Structure formats: C-alpha cells, structure tokens
Amino acid sequence: MSLKYSEFIDLNYVPSKTDIIATFYVKPAPGISIEDAAARVASESSVGTWTELRFVPSRVNRIKARVFEIDKEKRIVKIAYPIELFELDSDAPPNIPQFLSSVAGNIFGMKAIEGLKLLDIHLPKEFVKHFPGPQFGISGVRKIMKVEKRPITATVPKPKVGFSAEEFAKVAYELWIGGIDLCKDDENLTNLSFNKFKDRVLLLMKMREKVEEGTGERKSALINITAETREMLKRAKFIADNGGEFVMIDIITVGWAALQTVRYEFEDLKLAIHAHRAMHAAFTRNREHGISMLVVTKLSRLIGVDHLHSGTAGIGKMESEEKEVLAICDALRNKWFHIKRTFPVASGGLHPGILPNVMKIMGTDIIVQVGGGVFGHPSGIRAGAEAVRAAIDAFLENVSLEEKARESKALFEALQKWGAKKPL
Ligand code: CAP
Ligand code: MG
C-alpha cells in the first residue's frame, strides 16, 4: 500500500455502524474525473497526501477514509470515516476542532477541486455518546419561561447598537410589558463605551422583576457574552450571579473550541445558550462551496446550544430555503439518542403580518425573534409587542389576522403598515 488516490475509493464498501459518513457536493477542476476528485478529498481529509509514500504503517489501511458512493450527475459523493480518526475517547473532551480539521479542513483549497460543499454529516451513537447536548433543551427552556405550547417570543431592540444601558432597559420594559418574553441583545452588542455589559445586566434584571410583578409572566434576557473565552466565562458568571437564566453567544465568531468550553462551564452556572450564527453565510450560502447550515446545526446541538437561529424558510429578510430550514428544524428537534432537543429560532425581517406563515411551516416549537417588526410599529414598542402576541394568538385560535385585528388595535396598525409583505 502506497496511499495512491485509487486506494481511497471502494464502491463496494459498506460503512460500519461506527463510521462517520460525510456527504459532499464535489465539482472537479477541468480535466479531473469526479472519481479522482472524490478520492483526493477522502485522502486529504483522512491520512493521505499528494504523492505515493514508501512506508505506510499497516493500521493506515484500517483508518483511512473511503469513497463508497458517487452520484455523477448530481456530483454527490459519500465518504466513510472510521471513528478512530477522531479524538473522542481520550482524557480530554471530545474534540470538535480536530473533527472539522479533518472533514472540513484542507480539502476546500485543493486545486483539483473547483467547488466543494460539505452538505451533511451522519454521526453514529459511538460518536454522539461523548457529547453533552443542550443542558435544558426545548422542554427545559419552556419550564424556565413558563410557556407551555406557544412559540416563545424575543425582540432585539433596534437600532441594533446605540442605546445606552439605561435606554436599553427602558425599551426592554416596553417590549416586555407588551408581551414579548425575551429581550435579546444584537449580535454586535457586547461591552461598549455607551452600553457597558455589567450595567446592562443589572438594569435588565431589575427591570424584568418590575415587569414580572406587573404581568405575572416570566421575562428574561438573552445577553450577549461574545468575547475572548475567559472573558465570556466571567460575563456568564456575572449573569448567573445576578439571576439571569440565559446567555447569547455568536457561535461562529467565537469558534467551536470556545463554545465547547463554555458549555461545560455552564453545567454549574445553570445557563441556557442562545446561539446566534452571525458570519455563517460566509460559507453556508454558496451552493457549490463551503459547509452547510445543516452541518453547523448538528454540531451546535451536539455541543449543547439550547436555541439556534435556523432561518425563516424564505419568509424573512435572510436567504433561507424552506427545504433546508425544515431539515435544520428536524436536526434540532428530532430524537437523537440522549441529546435534548434545541429550539429553532426564526428571525430576520419578521413582523406580525407574516408570523402565521412562519408557524405554518416551522410549527410552534420555535422561538420567534421580531426586532424591526416591533420597534418599527407605528404606535411604538409596546404596541409592536402586543401585535406580535396577537398574531400568534390568531394562529393558535385558527382565526385570520384580519379577524383578530378587530380586537387588537396594535395588530390592526401593524397590518396597515406591513400587510403580509415579505421583506427583501
Ligand atoms: C434580526 C437580527 C438577527 C437576524 C440574524 C438582525 O433583526 O437581529 O441578527 O435574524 O439572521 O440583526 O438582522 P430583525 P438569522 O428582526 O430586525 O430583522 O436569524 O438568519 O441568523
Ligand atoms: Mg441581529
């Protein structure tokens, strides 16, 4: 055995029940066959290199990746990776960075490949059993918020950055009193000169108590701790010490290792993780190159996020195909061995006039985030929040928005302004 590329294809190979299976879209460079391109992907992402080798330890034949399926027309390739290739069972935590350095590493840069997209990963029980998954999951978060059936609602104060901590707490009061459950920091609001993290935490916690007394509803905040990892842990502890139940993390920009670290630390802090995915579209959006949001979804649930932005199935302002969002929702909510279920978060360009469309497609076991759709309401924030809850009630009561608007001025005005228009 010399590890030439042809040794990485075996179309008669039947993956073992402990193999990890990666599904790729492979567009070979001109002059390269798809078999050759696929073999190079399998080689470079497991044990091989660009040339034959003189000495190869015998175990390599056991642990090398194998191409076992090629759909030439669709350019879809399936590669089986023996589980021994991955660091799962050592005295360290299971190693997601190393897993990605293999199945999503060098291969994207190979000259023999014109386009490569990691579409999906199949992770067997032998792999999944090493991971914690969400600490709370859908049922645990529903218990925290005392919201049994309906979608949980969140609102990001807009402008997304610019309020002082005091102003932020004041607008939080308005959205909470109007009926929104969670006040959410935006992805780029962290610890800024005019809105210090600690001030925001203390003011929000004080304000939510006031609202809870007034409404009898649970209220909370998704406070963004995105930062260097040690700093994230300090900020998370500050939230926990002051009675907060959630943190928000921009999981792509902080990175997979940081997400794993904080998830383990949160076991003691009892903090649920709201995962924002800012920057994902840099590599998920291109159909011919990158890593799918489905792969990001499976890894995020595995590591243990309680909520994950999932797209709005083409209804909101962000590009998100219905088929893909439904697959993401399944990957978040389907039974997966011991791993708890994660809340899909529908967000981006939503307003009361299109919330029923979202629930029709994604169901009600979701979190809906409505930022501009609340802060842009003609009668102000509180009315915007009331209109969101009225639109959800209409869907749950199976009545039209127009009918519901007869008893909700706030909903009526929202429909006047936005109708059922899907934002660009
Ligand atoms: C939405 C949002 C979210 C996007 C992220 C924004 O605000 O706060 O970050 O939803 O996209 O900054 O655009 P609006 P995704 O409600 O005002 O649109 O959920 O697809 O990750
Ligand atoms: Mg945002």
Side-chain angles (χ1 to χ4, degrees):
M1 175 178 168
S2 63
L3 287 191
K4 52 183 184 301
Y5 288 135
S6 57
E7 292 169 14
F8 290 90
I9 282 203
D10 177 356
L11 300 181
N12 298 316
Y13 177 71
V14 176
S16 83
K17 69 178 188 16
T18 59
D19 279 351
I20 283 80
I21 295 170
T23 303
F24 290 97
Y25 167 86
V26 179
K27 184 178 182 183
I32 303 275
S33 71
I34 189 160
E35 290 85 355
D36 187 11
R40 289 163 184 255
V41 170
S43 164
E44 186 61 42
S45 61
S46 62
V47 296
T49 186
W50 62 277
T51 182
E52 291 83 64
L53 304 171
R54 275 175 47 71
F55 167 69
V56 178
S58 58
R59 79 173 64 79
V60 168
N61 197 40
R62 188 182 73 238
I63 63 171
K64 70 182 180 183
R66 289 167 175 82
V67 177
F68 67 95
E69 211 175 287
I70 298 179
D71 177 331
K72 284 189 180 179
E73 210 185 301
K74 293 192 185 125
R75 294 180 169 154
I76 299 294
V77 169
K78 291 196 178 201
I79 300 179
Y81 294 82
I83 198 163
E84 281 178 274
L85 278 170
F86 306 114
E87 183 191 352
L88 295 165
D89 211 355
S90 67
D91 49 7
N95 193 331
I96 287 289
Q98 181 264 351
F99 170 74
L100 287 170
S101 298
S102 166
V103 303
N106 290 353
I107 47 180
F108 294 109
M110 298 196 299
K111 284 198 298 197
I113 299 275
E114 192 171 298
L116 181 71
K117 185 149 189 186
L118 176 55
L119 298 173
D120 197 1
I121 44 173
H122 160 77
L123 302 172
K125 184 168 187 175
E126 273 309 297
F127 187 100
V128 171
K129 72 179 189 184
H130 297 284
F131 291 86
Q135 182 173 178
F136 299 92
I138 292 178
S139 58
V141 169
R142 284 192 175 282
K143 226 182 264 139
I144 294 172
M145 294 309 294
K146 297 192 170 63
V147 174
E148 265 180 39
K149 289 252 169 291
R150 65 170 170 79
I152 291 182
T153 57
T155 287
V156 173
K158 302 285 180 176
K160 54 171 69 181
V161 162
F163 291 112
S164 68
E166 295 71 18
E167 291 161 345
F168 196 87
K170 280 204 187 89
V171 298
Y173 177 84
E174 289 302 313
L175 60 94
W176 276 329
I177 206 89
I180 296 291
D181 304 297
L182 297 166
C183 176
K184 174 184 170 299
D185 284 2
D186 229 326
E187 65 277 359
N188 54 337
L189 176 61
T190 51
N191 181 43
L192 304 175
S193 58
F194 47 84
N195 190 327
K196 289 282 179 203
F197 173 83
K198 286 186 173 178
D199 296 344
R200 190 161 75 250
V201 172
L202 296 174
L203 288 164
L204 284 173
M205 291 297 112
K206 220 159 81 216
M207 194 63 89
R208 67 101 172 249
E209 265 155 44
K210 211 167 125 197
V211 178
E212 287 184 333
E213 277 150 33
T215 60
E217 284 193 338
R218 264 333 246 125
K219 302 293 177 184
S220 195
L222 305 175
I223 305 176
N224 193 357
I225 63 167
T226 297
E228 179 275 329
T229 306
R230 291 162 302 177
E231 182 58 27
M232 282 205 280
L233 293 173
K234 277 191 223 152
R235 292 182 187 179
K237 190 164 179 327
F238 190 79
I239 291 173
D241 289 350
N242 287 284
E245 300 87 358
F246 299 90
V247 300
M248 166 172 157
I249 301 175
D250 298 340
I251 59 169
I252 307 294
T253 52
V254 300
W256 296 105
L259 183 62
Q260 283 193 269
T261 300
V262 298
R263 168 61 186 91
Y264 290 119
E265 291 300 321
F266 289 1
E267 207 56 43
D268 304 338
L269 294 177
K270 300 263 165 288
L271 289 170
I273 300 173
H274 179 94
H276 195 289
R277 59 177 182 169
M279 193 166 91
H280 77 91
F283 53 82
T284 57
R285 188 169 186 181
N286 184 323
R287 293 186 192 312
E288 295 203 333
H289 197 76
I291 301 167
S292 72
M293 185 61 209
L294 184 59
V295 169
V296 171
T297 298
K298 289 184 176 179
L299 296 178
S300 310
R301 182 180 172 192
L302 199 58
I303 293 172
V305 303
D306 294 282
H307 316 161
L308 175 67
H309 283 244
S310 57
T312 59
I315 292 164
K317 72 187 180 189
M318 302 289 192
E319 196 261 344
S320 61
E321 241 178 64
E322 181 172 333
K323 196 162 77 35
E324 187 195 22
V325 172
L326 289 177
I328 289 168
C329 289
D330 286 347
L332 289 172
R333 297 185 299 209
N334 282 357
K335 179 142 183 44
W336 197 15
F337 306 128
H338 70 289
I339 302 288
K340 289 192 182 85
R341 302 162 72 229
T342 296
F343 257 124
V345 180
S347 173
L350 298 182
H351 59 78
I354 51 178
L355 286 183
N357 310 46
V358 173
M359 292 182 277
K360 221 172 278 156
I361 295 172
M362 298 174 69
T364 52
D365 239 355
I366 57 173
I367 293 175
V368 287
Q369 191 292 125
V370 185
V374 166
F375 275 68
H377 190 283
S379 294
I381 302 163
R382 188 180 306 203
E386 287 165 2
V388 166
R389 289 291 297 270
I392 290 173
D393 290 347
F395 179 78
L396 297 176
E397 294 157 17
N398 203 13
V399 299
S400 73
L401 292 179
E402 291 66 25
E403 180 147 341
K404 194 71 184 174
R406 289 206 195 102
E407 61 186 73
S408 162
K409 180 168 171 284
L411 179 56
F412 176 78
E413 290 173 337
L415 296 178
Q416 287 290 90
K417 177 167 183 180
W418 295 302
K421 193 172 73 227
K422 292 180 188 174
L424 191 56

